Amino acid sequence: MCVITVDSVQAKAYTVTVDVDNVYSEVIPKSFVQNAPAIFKKNVKKAMKYYNKYKNADPVTYMRTIPDMYRDFIEIARKIHDSDEIVIHSPFYPYDVGVDDEEEGTPFYNFLAEKNGKRLCIFSLYIDDKSKKLTFGYSKMTQYFIYDSKTTKNALFYWLGEKCYAETPDKTICISKREEPGGERMKMQSDGVDWEAILKKSYKEFQKKTYEEKKNEIFNRAKKSQNKKAGYLPCFLT
């Protein structure tokens, strides 16, 4: 396993560094790693601009004017102070078992950001389908991941239906459960095909595989998804 370290990016007094210190260093595009500090800082600044401009506005204006993602991310941005040291690391590609590459959307990586050695948030980077730019994403839902960089350093991350798992060579833990309307994520029967049975079978087959077999499957999918986006322009960031 290799380790990729990028020099810190500094603006004002707080610093942001990135260190890809887990198994995904073998597959994550270098452009994601190299641009992560600048994109993170850019979006902290953007969130604070929204906050400073609309913090005294009435609730209706505040809700309607600030995009959902930034309304949520403002809570994180406000926690960052001039003397803080932010370290971005432990990225992972959330593989969705049972979803083929034709159905899968834009590939993205989640990153863990720590402030002064303590967890700050999880954010994502992905290539936007329309703009072809490397883009920042933040969701409150991912903040509930039971995700510790020390205990999951060699973990593979994957979804089996509504549950997300982190698997190391030694153990497997459930780190999150997503709620879907009606409590079910399975496809219903259509055109005489029992999609629920097909999905359950694919889950069982995946669970029988060894750690290395799962790693190969996940990494091959990640590489294939990334190759689809080979034409994007990494110099453009959002």
Side-chain angles (χ1 to χ4, degrees), residues 198-213:
I198 292 173
L199 283 171
K200 285 183 176 180
K201 181 180 179 181
S202 68
Y203 298 159
K204 289 181 180 179
E205 291 175 348
F206 184 81
Q207 287 174 304
K208 291 178 182 178
K209 295 181 179 181
T210 65
Y211 173 88
E212 287 299 324
E213 289 172 336

Side-chain angles (χ1 to χ4, degrees), residues 39-55:
I39 295 176
F40 183 83
K41 290 180 73 70
K42 180 179 179 179
N43 283 275
V44 167
K45 183 177 180 180
K46 191 170 182 178
M48 290 307 298
K49 286 183 71 174
Y50 275 122
Y51 174 73
N52 289 328
K53 185 174 182 179
Y54 296 105
K55 62 183 178 182

Side-chain angles (χ1 to χ4, degrees), residues 8-69:
S8 65
V9 174
Q10 185 169 4
K12 296 186 177 178
Y14 85 91
T15 61
V16 181
T17 60
V18 60
D19 187 2
V20 179
D21 52 0
N22 66 357
V23 68
Y24 287 87
S25 64
E26 299 177 28
V27 69
I28 186 171
K30 288 184 178 180
S31 59
F32 281 53
V33 178
Q34 293 168 344
N35 291 304
I39 295 176
F40 183 83
K41 290 180 73 70
K42 180 179 179 179
N43 283 275
V44 167
K45 183 177 180 180
K46 191 170 182 178
M48 290 307 298
K49 286 183 71 174
Y50 275 122
Y51 174 73
N52 289 328
K53 185 174 182 179
Y54 296 105
K55 62 183 178 182
N56 296 319
D58 62 89
V60 174
T61 300
Y62 189 89
M63 295 292 289
R64 287 182 175 177
T65 307
I66 304 177
D68 292 347
M69 183 186 78

Side-chain angles (χ1 to χ4, degrees), residues 4 20 23-33 91-95 100-102 104-111 125-129 132-134 215-234:
I4 305 170
V20 179
V23 68
Y24 287 87
S25 64
E26 299 177 28
V27 69
I28 186 171
K30 288 184 178 180
S31 59
F32 281 53
V33 178
F92 70 90
Y93 167 79
Y95 181 59
D100 62 38
D101 57 350
E102 296 300 323
E104 191 175 47
T106 300
F108 67 93
Y109 282 86
N110 288 324
F111 289 81
L125 292 180
Y126 64 96
I127 301 167
D128 184 79
D129 285 325
K132 307 302 180 185
K133 296 178 181 180
L134 193 55
K215 178 183 172 182
N216 289 336
E217 180 174 331
I218 293 170
F219 281 19
N220 286 338
R221 172 64 64 80
K223 292 174 183 177
K224 190 172 183 179
S225 297
Q226 288 156 196
N227 288 338
K228 289 181 179 179
K229 299 293 178 179
Y232 85 102
L233 303 177

